[in-house]
Amino acid sequence: MRLLERIFDLAIIGGGVNGCGIARDAVGRGNTVFLCEMNDLASGTSSWSTKLVHGGLRYLEYYEFRLVREALIEREILWGIAPHIIRPLRFVLPHHAGLRPAWLLRLGLFLYDHIGGRHLLPATRSVDLRHDEVGRPLIPNRYTRAFEYSDCFVDDARLVVLNARDAADKGAEIRTRTRATEIRQSDGIWTVSMVNALTGARSSIQARALVNAGGPWVEDVLGRGAGVNAKAKVRLVQGSHIVVKKLYDHDRAYMFQNADGRIIFVIPYQEDFTLIGTTDRDYDGDPSKVKATPEEIQYLCTAASEYLAKPVTPDDVVWTYSGVRPLYDDGASEAKAATRDYVFELDTPGGAALLSIYGGKITTYRRLAEEALERLAPYLRSAKAREGWTGKWPLPGGDMDVSAIDGLIAELLRGYSFLTHEHARRLARAYGTRAIKLLGDAKSAADLGQSFGATLTEREVRYLMANEWAVTAEDIVWRRSKLGLRLSADEIAALEDWIRTHAVQQSPLLEAGGRS
């Protein structure tokens, strides 16, 4: 067993949005940071969201005012630091006479517009569905009025990877495919023992403080020798989504109310598709094996078809995904009512700090990281320095104005005239200003190497493996991008073969730093 000689200020178990967000904030304050993730970054809950940075309008019904206000404030902050992967999105909420009354929706949207520091996003407006284009996809004459409000869309998995990338650029060690097998503390120091899933190599590190950001596995991590009897409990709630071919031509999303009190979103997705979700049901099983069930797929189709003129059927579904949200168990009787707020549990067995995270949502990950470091302040050398810096410093590729994405696309087309507009747009929205680093000195399409289909090239694959911890075709086509929607099974298999035969697998040491 190899023991790294240094003692880290902070070790983090879990490479989802919370773990990577804490790693970025902590290293930026001057701490030495280590993070291990048993699979790929964002391979759990963080890549299976509804892809929204939003206040959570429906949480107002459960009096979650602090959570909603914090989330609303975060929308424009996150948009500002990552304008390539986050963009504004307008939502249409048709009024359904038999459900929530119009005055209640109007009141909720008034609060939504005014409690969260909205500066750049446009305000709510009323819509006459009989004359506005957003009424055309809906069942004629059934819905006549709606409200249109603002939130943001996010590429969730890329948000996680970019937080990890920035943390690594600032000196953090990020080690993927590395499972923490045991956590022990002695004399105020944690020892984390690990095994690499690719090589079987065993190693261990030491740290003064430990964060358990295991998500659905948070209790499992505590069972690996922490010496802690956790008081908090996790409630696993399954959320499934379906993707269908594009249902309409305009750029707005919809929020549909269901008779059971739940809501679903219908969102323009990846240019040619529509995303519909999500469900809320308690889950009891292995979080790594969660899948959208036929019942959930039918539920989403039925819910969307209550509003849309052209019904959605299970035969229309081209892709499904499902994730498990590790919510704090607040005793709510229904999954839809369980709090989305985050809860910390801080334990100090033998004087060594262990902070476990329950719940949370993508929108508030940055604030969660700040609060986590406030809780750990007595145990870290550098907890106060540069407080709040993560909301001002752009994520990798995000060093541009929120309105500059079209300008960047034009710049890529000028500098690399062989690119199609579709290719340039995808690169700009995925990598921001770092798209130029990815393309480098290429003078022709041939310079980008082998083409795998759907604008994915060898040069991009090499970039993702060298800079973003991608190891498999699945990492590339479903997390670093969503090109799996466009590539055939044979094309994905060819990419996997290329990775196996051409790419030099990163060693555990190289993978740990991941520096570019």
Side-chain angles (χ1 to χ4, degrees):
M1 182 171 291
R2 184 174 54 80
L3 182 68
L4 298 182
E5 293 177 3
R6 68 201 284 203
I7 298 177
F8 290 90
D9 294 321
L10 181 65
I12 301 162
I13 297 172
V17 74
N18 291 336
C20 292
I22 292 169
R24 178 186 186 233
D25 196 348
V27 74
R29 297 184 192 211
N31 297 286
T32 54
V33 174
F34 178 93
L35 180 147
C36 66
E37 158 59 43
M38 63 180 177
N39 297 310
D40 182 28
L41 296 172
S43 57
T45 305
S46 294
S47 61
W48 306 128
S49 78
T50 313
K51 325 296 184 195
L52 299 181
V53 170
H54 66 139
L57 181 62
R58 72 184 184 86
Y59 305 146
L60 291 173
E61 290 187 296
Y62 302 105
Y63 309 108
E64 300 253 23
F65 295 112
R66 188 202 65 77
L67 173 65
V68 174
R69 183 173 185 275
E70 185 174 280
L72 288 171
I73 291 169
E74 284 299 296
R75 289 180 312 181
E76 292 198 9
I77 292 174
L78 297 183
W79 180 25
I81 64 171
H84 49 324
I85 61 166
I86 296 174
R87 65 180 185 274
L89 187 60
R90 294 287 280 173
F91 286 80
V92 177
L93 172 53
H95 176 238
H96 188 302
L99 300 177
R100 297 165 179 86
W103 69 264
L104 182 63
L105 298 178
R106 206 179 292 113
L107 174 61
L109 287 164
F110 177 83
L111 289 171
Y112 210 69
D113 269 354
H114 290 90
I115 66 173
R118 179 184 56 81
H119 300 295
L120 297 176
L121 293 170
T124 298
R125 72 178 184 106
S126 293
V127 179
D128 183 341
L129 293 173
R130 293 166 299 187
H131 300 105
D132 195 286
E133 66 171 341
V134 300
R136 285 186 205 130
L138 304 180
I139 296 172
N141 303 318
R142 181 180 290 185
Y143 307 100
T144 59
R145 60 193 297 214
F147 302 98
E148 187 178 286
Y149 68 95
S150 293
D151 266 323
C152 290
F153 179 88
V154 61
D155 187 326
D156 51 6
R158 291 207 58 73
L159 181 69
V160 177
V161 168
L162 294 181
N163 271 274
R165 181 67 265 157
D166 202 38
D169 288 346
K170 290 174 170 56
E173 294 213 26
I174 309 292
R175 198 175 293 191
T176 64
R177 262 73 184 196
T178 300
R179 182 175 182 269
T181 55
E182 186 180 51
I183 50 177
R184 299 272 179 199
Q185 61 81 29
S186 176
D187 299 326
I189 298 293
W190 286 102
T191 298
V192 181
S193 301
M194 299 163 288
V195 61
N196 183 287
L198 299 176
T199 65
R202 295 185 173 273
S203 59
S204 63
I205 59 102
Q206 292 186 314
R208 295 180 177 86
L210 182 62
V211 167
N212 174 9
W217 294 273
V218 61
E219 292 178 355
D220 182 45
V221 170
L222 289 175
R224 296 176 195 171
V228 169
N229 291 316
K231 296 179 287 293
K233 292 295 178 190
V234 69
R235 179 174 186 170
L236 299 182
V237 173
Q238 178 176 358
S240 296
H241 297 76
I242 59 176
V243 175
V244 299
K245 289 285 178 64
K246 188 156 100 169
L247 294 176
Y248 51 84
D249 290 329
H250 65 73
D251 61 356
R252 264 64 55 87
Y254 292 93
M255 178 201 271
F256 291 154
Q257 304 175 77
N258 300 336
D260 62 4
R262 282 200 35 73
I263 57 97
I264 65 162
F265 294 106
V266 176
I267 302 169
Y269 190 58
Q270 297 292 318
E271 310 299 337
D272 300 315
F273 301 91
T274 300
L275 173 65
I276 302 173
T278 179
T279 58
D280 260 331
R281 52 189 276 172
D282 286 305
Y283 182 77
D284 182 19
D286 183 346
S288 67
K289 292 185 167 52
V290 64
K291 282 186 169 52
T293 65
E295 294 79 19
E296 287 179 299
I297 293 167
Q298 185 61 61
Y299 173 89
L300 293 173
C301 290
T302 301
S305 300
E306 274 291 304
Y307 288 82
L308 296 169
K310 184 175 184 297
V312 179
T313 72
D315 289 340
D316 297 322
V317 175
V318 297
W319 184 49
T320 70
Y321 65 86
S322 191
V324 175
R325 295 186 285 271
L327 304 181
Y328 172 70
D329 191 352
D330 61 355
S333 59
E334 293 182 276
K336 69 178 182 181
T339 183
R340 265 55 178 175
D341 211 345
Y342 50 83
V343 173
F344 296 118
E345 188 160 287
L346 180 63
D347 295 285
T348 54
L354 168 60
L355 186 74
S356 297
I357 301 169
Y358 297 80
K361 56 206 291 283
I362 274 189
T363 306
T364 51
Y365 87 90
R366 196 194 64 82
R367 275 295 299 129
L368 180 150
E370 289 183 334
E371 193 173 329
L373 291 174
E374 287 163 19
R375 297 287 183 94
L376 289 170
Y379 309 95
L380 296 174
R381 291 182 306 167
S382 304
K384 292 297 181 189
R386 301 183 68 199
E387 195 169 347
W389 75 272
T390 56
K392 304 180 185 79
W393 189 275
L395 285 168
D399 48 338
M400 58 182 173
D401 187 80
V402 293
S403 61
I405 195 76
D406 287 339
L408 176 60
I409 294 169
E411 182 183 346
L412 292 177
L413 289 170
R414 278 194 306 272
Y416 303 93
S417 57
F418 54 88
L419 293 178
T420 63
H421 189 274
E422 174 197 4
H423 195 173
R425 181 180 59 202
R426 185 179 69 78
L427 293 179
R429 287 185 172 174
Y431 304 102
T433 56
R434 291 204 175 184
I436 296 167
K437 175 184 174 183
L438 185 157
L439 292 165
D441 59 359
K443 299 288 191 293
S444 68
D447 290 339
L448 300 181
Q450 183 173 336
S451 172
F452 298 102
T455 73
L456 181 66
T457 65
E458 180 182 331
R459 182 167 295 206
E460 184 174 0
V461 171
R462 289 188 184 277
Y463 176 90
L464 290 171
M465 297 185 76
N467 296 280
E468 295 194 0
W469 299 276
V471 174
T472 68
E474 182 185 352
D475 299 346
I476 291 166
V477 305
W478 291 119
R479 282 184 286 277
R480 305 304 183 277
S481 74
K482 290 296 180 288
L483 292 176
L485 287 168
R486 303 177 187 280
L487 293 165
S488 69
D490 286 345
E491 286 171 325
I492 295 172
L495 171 62
E496 193 68 74
D497 287 343
W498 184 93
I499 290 171
R500 252 195 313 270
T501 56
H502 288 80
V504 178
Q505 294 284 5
Q506 293 175 327
S507 73
L509 276 175
L510 228 158
E511 192 179 314
R515 299 218 166 64
S516 63

